[in-house]
Amino acid sequence: MSRSERSPLLLAGLLAAAGVAHFASPRPFDATVPRSLPGTPRTWTYASGVVELALAAGIAAPRTRRMAALATAAFFVGVFPANVKMAVDWRHRPAPLKAAAVGRLPLQVPLVLWARSVARSGEGRS
């Protein structure tokens, strides 16, 4: 299997693992939900998990890969405020935790670019 064939499956696996984590251990995700959003943090945590699982399934299937990958890029942009909130909330935690929270912020850029690359590689396939 070539690298270009593995890339969508790896992205789908990342999304699936994150989606499952939202259900298996929701509390840490609840804490990242911006307070300005309506409803409860747990509702947003579960909704995000469902979206990640749906995106993973869409990327895994060649017929829906392009659209799911574009939606994934948008999703990664959309969850950026939660990552910013986490970094702000963790600014007084021990250095390794603070570094992890801040380090997540620039990682959104390669994730968005990865999803866009998967979308481009899925163009013209049916």
Side-chain angles (χ1 to χ4, degrees), residues 23-68:
F23 291 96
S25 183
R27 188 173 291 150
F29 297 100
D30 293 347
T32 68
V33 176
R35 290 180 195 92
S36 60
L37 292 176
T40 66
R42 184 61 50 95
T43 299
W44 286 99
T45 293
Y46 287 157
S48 180
V50 168
V51 169
E52 287 170 325
L53 291 170
L55 291 170
I59 289 172
R63 294 192 99 148
T64 55
R65 181 168 295 151
R66 182 178 179 280
M67 288 304 284

